[in-house]
Amino acid sequence: MVAESGGPEDQKPQSDEARSAFAPPAGTMHPLSPPEEDHPTSEFAIPDGVVSDASGAASAGSGSAAGSNSDTLSSAFTPPSTYKAQQSPPAFTPAQGIPMVKLTKEAPWQDRMRTMLRMPVTERPAAESIQRTDDETGPAVPRVLDLTLRIGELLLAGGEGAEDVEAAMFAVTRSYGLDRSEPTVTFTLLSISHQPSLVDDPVTASRTVRRRGTDYTRLAAVFRLVDDITSDTEVSLEEAYRRLAEIRRNRHPYPGWVLTAAAGLLAGSASVLVGGGFLVFVVAAAGAMLGDRLAWLCAGRGLPEFYQFTVAAMPPAALGVALTLTHSTDVRPSAVITGGLFALLPGRALVAGVQDGLTGYYITASARLLEVMYFFIGIVAGVLIVLYLGLQLGAELNPEARFSPYNEPVVQILASMALSLAFAVLLQQERSTVLAVTLNGGVAWIIFGAMARTGNISPVAATAVAAGLVGLFGQLFSRYRFHSSLPYITAAIGPLLPGSATYFGLLGVAQNELDTGLASLSTAVATALAIAIGVNLGSEISRLFMGLPGAIGGASRRAAKRTRGF
């Protein structure tokens, strides 16, 4: 019966693979598909009868049917077609009002920008005077951000604090009209983000600091460039790029042999501070210069700074041990080794690290203090190697010995000034700042000697007070010259560095007298922290006597990185 009713194809049974498990059985009708208008729509689709903003005007003019599901919705970040600044609704104003803030040009840009950074974003005033450009639209945003990052790179590589670097970057962007910019500084990374408005996409750029070097002449030149950009002086973007390129190409103000001689003068002056005579001065200077040349050789071979510090610490310690083996009574070996340590202790990095921590930049502070720890361990390793060898050869080193009292204050004041002078040359400072920092170092030593020796006050407390005065005077000098405060502070704290406590601590460890050695090392650490905290406290005290930029309406001075909410 099947053969009569169907053709040849109908006579072949279908295989199981040819039939779908979801196919309707034979004899049933396929269900009718629902009409097109009954299909479910998205919950975000525009209902019928509602005209979108993008097509409302066109629909009204053409008289066509209002709206359809095919209308294209605009982006959430696209401003409405009726959005204009003049037609925007009035902003909410709190009952107590908004305090008026006006940053006057009389205050240095460092104070103005630091005040801005410590303000909440909603309370910051409008942008300052915009630098003139060839067109009315202003410079391109990426180029301004690139210039800002390059300026911040030079400042951070030169050892400037993170807050001051952010203040400089903030000043440059606001001077070129980018008032909605937020700079961020860490130990080796700088980034900045600019958002033109709340409805525009932000533009972000970053830059990594690969190499760091000490050149305070370059640092002062960058500060002058930022001061000119933020002042009424017309500095176009091209002019700023040209000046920045000249700053980067400029050679160091002192040649290599002058730096080596300065290292010797620093070590010799430090040995005189701790009771050494003329012969001690000569031997300590020779050891420091030999260590400096060995460090330059290691740097030329590409060795990390850790090994450079280790190698530089060995020659002064070796000369001190050699003098002990000769049983010379006219030379104090401890003074020779201590003088060499003075030339190596990383006081600049320590002050910058503690300052970043006190101002709330904890990541940068941790990285800088970790760097200081590595340098210190390198110095310790170099000195301990030589001391162990000396003990094996029979050198009689006494960890209980102490230096002679300060019986010649005039000589030691002159030695402290010579130490600060040599330190300033090693930091590549401008010649115009060397005299000021030399006098500042002499004043610091006078305060320390008067309190520690005459007043019998704790050396740590005396160091903190002397360092506070150094920070106070350095901040005042920098405001007078519109420069960074580092050239007036870093070299002046040289006479206060804990070289003697470090030496006796290392000697105690080398002779297995851990109690004496750890006690001396603890004193060295406490003295170093007292220097850093005193410098920062002196700088903050100097700002208390300065007028707050734009304090109109009783505005209070903002703290750095407020963590307690007030």
Side-chain angles (χ1 to χ4, degrees), residues 357-518:
L358 293 176
T359 52
Y361 294 84
Y362 300 116
I363 297 178
T364 307
S366 301
R368 280 181 165 169
L369 292 178
L370 183 62
E371 182 186 41
V372 171
M373 185 187 72
Y374 271 105
F375 291 163
F376 189 76
I377 292 176
I379 297 171
V380 168
V383 175
L384 282 181
I385 290 173
V386 176
L387 292 182
Y388 275 123
L389 292 177
L391 292 176
Q392 297 300 322
L393 295 176
E396 297 179 358
L397 299 172
N398 185 10
E400 299 295 335
R402 288 295 182 267
F403 299 119
S404 60
Y406 305 91
N407 295 326
E408 298 179 354
V410 176
V411 174
Q412 291 178 344
I413 291 173
L414 294 177
S416 65
M417 296 175 65
L419 192 153
S420 300
L421 173 64
F423 207 168
V425 174
L426 287 176
L427 294 175
Q428 302 280 2
Q429 291 190 196
E430 291 182 313
R431 293 178 175 86
S432 59
T433 64
V434 171
L435 178 60
V437 75
T438 301
L439 296 177
N440 202 7
V443 171
W445 183 257
I446 291 173
I447 299 300
F448 172 79
M451 295 183 64
R453 302 303 304 176
T454 305
N456 294 325
I457 301 176
S458 170
V460 176
T463 301
V465 174
L469 290 178
V470 168
L472 176 63
F473 293 154
Q475 201 66 235
L476 295 178
F477 278 131
S478 67
R479 291 302 183 270
Y480 175 72
R481 298 289 301 273
F482 292 94
H483 286 178
S484 171
S485 60
L486 289 181
Y488 302 98
I489 292 177
T490 306
I493 64 174
L496 305 176
L497 293 176
S500 58
T502 303
Y503 163 69
F504 284 116
L506 297 179
L507 183 57
V509 173
Q511 293 184 339
N512 291 326
E513 297 182 4
L514 296 181
D515 294 338
T516 304
L518 292 179

Side-chain angles (χ1 to χ4, degrees), residues 1-306:
M1 196 181 260
V2 174
E4 295 177 357
S5 61
E9 296 181 358
D10 296 336
Q11 299 176 3
K12 296 180 181 180
Q14 290 183 341
S15 62
D16 294 336
E17 291 79 2
R19 294 195 304 267
S20 173
F22 300 97
T28 61
M29 297 179 62
H30 292 280
L32 295 176
S33 59
E36 186 70 21
E37 60 271 9
D38 292 340
H39 283 173
T41 59
S42 171
E43 58 180 325
F44 299 101
I46 302 176
D48 294 337
V50 178
V51 182
S52 62
D53 292 338
S55 60
S59 300
S62 60
S64 60
S68 65
N69 292 339
S70 60
D71 292 338
T72 303
L73 296 178
S74 59
S75 172
F77 297 97
T78 303
S81 59
T82 58
Y83 179 83
K84 290 183 180 180
Q86 295 82 359
Q87 301 176 359
S88 59
F92 170 75
T93 303
Q96 68 273 14
I98 299 177
M100 178 181 176
V101 179
K102 181 180 179 182
L103 299 181
T104 59
K105 289 292 186 179
E106 288 75 13
W109 66 265
Q110 299 98 313
D111 291 337
R112 302 199 312 268
M113 293 301 109
R114 186 179 290 108
T115 303
M116 292 285 296
L117 286 175
R118 295 180 180 182
M119 281 184 182
V121 178
T122 56
E123 298 182 11
R124 290 176 181 172
E128 299 182 4
S129 59
I130 302 175
Q131 294 292 331
R132 298 183 180 90
T133 54
D134 297 335
D135 52 0
E136 297 180 357
T137 60
V141 172
R143 297 201 65 198
V144 175
L145 298 185
D146 178 71
L147 174 67
T148 304
L149 289 174
R150 292 178 183 273
I151 290 176
E153 178 190 8
L154 289 181
L155 294 176
L156 188 62
E160 192 63 69
E163 187 179 30
D164 291 332
V165 175
E166 282 194 2
M169 296 172 64
F170 201 67
V172 174
T173 55
R174 289 180 65 86
S175 297
Y176 285 106
L178 308 185
D179 56 325
R180 291 179 176 268
S181 299
E182 287 296 334
T184 304
V185 175
T186 56
F187 183 53
T188 58
L189 180 65
L190 301 98
S191 62
I192 187 168
S193 178
H194 170 68
Q195 188 174 12
S197 65
L198 296 178
V199 295
D200 289 329
D201 296 334
V203 180
T204 303
S206 62
R207 193 172 183 87
T208 303
V209 179
R210 300 293 183 185
R211 295 177 59 87
R212 297 189 305 275
T214 303
D215 190 345
Y216 282 177
T217 300
R218 179 180 296 175
L219 191 68
V222 176
F223 263 74
R224 284 193 295 268
L225 174 60
V226 177
D227 183 64
D228 291 341
I229 292 176
T230 56
S231 63
D232 295 332
T233 306
E234 181 179 352
V235 180
S236 63
L237 199 63
E238 298 300 331
E239 176 68 15
Y241 265 110
R242 185 190 63 79
R243 291 179 56 178
L244 190 63
E246 291 180 355
I247 293 173
R248 298 180 69 94
R249 287 196 302 264
N250 284 345
R251 298 179 61 86
H252 299 304
Y254 307 103
W257 66 269
V258 174
L259 299 180
T260 301
L265 177 61
L266 193 155
S269 302
S271 66
V272 174
L273 284 180
V274 294
F278 177 74
L279 186 57
V280 171
F281 177 92
V282 174
V283 175
M289 288 189 291
L290 179 59
D292 182 77
R293 286 291 93 189
L294 290 177
W296 276 84
L297 180 62
C298 293
R301 297 293 180 178
L303 290 178
E305 285 186 302
F306 176 86

